Amino acid sequence: LYTASKVYVDNSSVINVSSKTKGNGGEVIIWSEKSTIAKGKILATGGILSGDGGFIETSSRGYLNINELNIYTKSPNGKNGNWLIDPTNIWIKNPGDPTVVLTDVDNFTDPDKDVNGSELDVSKIETAGADITLQATQNIYFEADFFSNLSNSQNITADAGGSIIVTNPISTTKNLFLT
C-alpha cells in the first residue's frame, strides 16, 4: 500500500461522497506520513429519505492543518457521520493561526513543518457538522476556552495515547467524552 509523504487539498476543492436519496454517506481519508494540509469542503451526508452520515478522516503522522476545512456528515433521517482527526499531538487553540500556503509543503526546498503535532482552531470543533473524534497518539491540549453548543445528537470524543491537558475552561451541556 502506497502512502503520501505530504498532502495538500486547496481551498477551492469540494469532495462530495454524499448519498442523494437513500443510503449512507461515503468515506474520505486524507492522510500523510509527514504533512497534511486540507482546506475546502468535504461532504459525506446520508440520503434525504434515509441513510446515515459517512466517515471523514484527516490525519498525519506529522503536521496536520485543517483550520480552513469545512466538513458536513449529518443526515436528515439518520445518524451523524464521524470526523476523525488523528495526528500525533493536538493543541486546541483560539482562532488566528497563520495561513499555510502550498510552498510550505513542497518536498524540495522547504523544511518540514512541526512533526510533533497540530494546532486546531477551537471553532472547528464547536461548529462542525459531524460527530468528532480527536485521536492523538500522544497528547491533546485544550488551550482555548471551549464553550460548545452541541446539538442533542452530536458527540465529541477526545482520546489520547498519553494525556489530555486542560488549561482553559470547558463548558458544554452534553456529549463530550475525554478518554
Side-chain angles (χ1 to χ4, degrees), residues 41-58:
K41 183 187 293 187
I42 302 175
L43 304 153
T45 61
I48 294 170
L49 298 178
S50 66
D52 297 334
F55 175 80
I56 297 170
E57 177 179 355
T58 50

Side-chain angles (χ1 to χ4, degrees), residues 13-20 24-30 39-46 52-57 69-75 81-83 129-130:
S13 297
V14 176
I15 300 170
N16 189 347
V17 295
S18 298
S19 175
K20 290 185 180 186
N24 298 334
E27 183 174 291
V28 175
I29 297 175
I30 300 173
K39 302 178 181 184
K41 183 187 293 187
I42 302 175
L43 304 153
T45 61
D52 297 334
F55 175 80
I56 297 170
E57 177 179 355
L69 178 65
N70 295 300
I71 63 96
Y72 196 75
T73 67
K74 290 191 175 184
S75 178
N82 193 57
W83 182 16

Side-chain angles (χ1 to χ4, degrees), residues 22-95:
K22 294 180 181 178
N24 298 334
E27 183 174 291
V28 175
I29 297 175
I30 300 173
W31 188 88
S32 73
E33 292 285 338
K34 292 184 179 181
S35 177
T36 297
I37 299 172
K39 302 178 181 184
K41 183 187 293 187
I42 302 175
L43 304 153
T45 61
I48 294 170
L49 298 178
S50 66
D52 297 334
F55 175 80
I56 297 170
E57 177 179 355
T58 50
S59 300
S60 180
R61 282 200 176 133
Y63 175 76
L64 176 65
N65 182 328
I66 52 174
N67 286 327
E68 295 181 54
L69 178 65
N70 295 300
I71 63 96
Y72 196 75
T73 67
K74 290 191 175 184
S75 178
N77 290 301
K79 297 177 185 174
N80 288 343
N82 193 57
W83 182 16
L84 172 62
I85 302 168
D86 184 25
T88 304
N89 289 297
I90 302 171
W91 285 268
I92 310 299
K93 300 242 183 207
N94 289 312

Side-chain angles (χ1 to χ4, degrees), residues 85-152:
I85 302 168
D86 184 25
T88 304
N89 289 297
I90 302 171
W91 285 268
I92 310 299
K93 300 242 183 207
N94 289 312
D97 291 338
T99 301
V100 178
V101 295
L102 184 58
T103 57
D104 289 334
V105 296
D106 86 38
N107 281 316
F108 303 106
T109 59
D110 296 328
D112 290 333
K113 291 291 179 189
D114 179 8
V115 295
N116 292 318
S118 305
E119 293 183 359
L120 179 59
D121 181 334
V122 68
S123 68
K124 284 292 161 190
I125 297 170
E126 294 173 332
T127 61
D131 289 346
I132 297 177
T133 302
L134 303 169
Q135 189 174 56
T137 54
Q138 292 181 7
N139 300 315
I140 299 174
Y141 303 87
F142 283 88
E143 296 180 348
D145 292 347
F146 184 80
F147 300 103
S148 183
N149 295 319
L150 301 174
S151 69
N152 287 331

Side-chain angles (χ1 to χ4, degrees), residues 160-178:
S163 298
I164 296 175
I165 297 103
V166 178
T167 60
N168 285 46
I170 294 178
S171 176
T172 185
T173 56
K174 55 197 162 286
N175 306 327
L176 175 64
F177 307 99
L178 304 177

